[in-house]
Amino acid sequence: QDEMYVHHYKNMAAFVGAAQPRFSERQCLETAMQIVTLIEGMMLLTAPRAKHFSSRAAVSRMIKRAVVKLMAAEAGLDSPAPIS
């Protein structure tokens, strides 16, 4: 199980690096850990039998906004790029 987690964590770090090529490997790994943690936490709220606090579409938009803000903050940008 740990191997699978490490694989997905490193895979996410590769996505972070592709989105922010100026990030160091450490920044990519640290940002990936925060994104993975955010997604895992949200999975608790979107499980099939979970009591939902909003629609899945709203949760998806919220996660996208949070990731964009996180990436912008890590890059030292004042404001993130708009989400398409």
Side-chain angles (χ1 to χ4, degrees), residues 16-25 27-28 71-72 74-77:
V16 170
Q20 292 290 348
R22 291 177 278 152
F23 277 13
S24 68
E25 182 177 356
Q27 283 178 298
C28 290
M71 297 284 285
E74 290 293 321
L77 302 175

Side-chain angles (χ1 to χ4, degrees), residues 13 16 30 45 49 64 67:
V16 170
E30 289 174 353
L45 302 172
R49 293 190 180 117
K64 286 179 185 178
V67 169

Side-chain angles (χ1 to χ4, degrees), residues 4 19 36 58 68 70 72:
M4 180 184 246
V36 167
V68 168
L70 174 64

Side-chain angles (χ1 to χ4, degrees), residues 4 36 55 72 83-84:
M4 180 184 246
V36 167
S55 71
I83 299 171
S84 54

Side-chain angles (χ1 to χ4, degrees), residues 3-81:
E3 289 176 19
M4 180 184 246
Y5 182 78
V6 169
H7 168 77
H8 289 293
Y9 166 64
K10 288 184 177 181
N11 194 37
M12 181 62 72
F15 289 137
V16 170
Q20 292 290 348
R22 291 177 278 152
F23 277 13
S24 68
E25 182 177 356
R26 181 180 176 135
Q27 283 178 298
C28 290
L29 291 169
E30 289 174 353
T31 304
M33 178 59 77
Q34 293 177 55
I35 293 170
V36 167
T37 302
L38 172 68
I39 292 169
E40 286 180 359
M42 292 306 294
M43 287 173 64
L44 295 172
L45 302 172
T46 60
R49 293 190 180 117
K51 293 182 180 179
H52 300 290
F53 63 92
S54 64
S55 71
R56 287 181 189 241
V59 170
S60 177
R61 286 190 303 273
M62 183 172 58
I63 290 172
K64 286 179 185 178
R65 282 193 304 268
V67 169
V68 168
K69 286 179 182 180
L70 174 64
M71 297 284 285
E74 290 293 321
L77 302 175
D78 291 333
S79 63

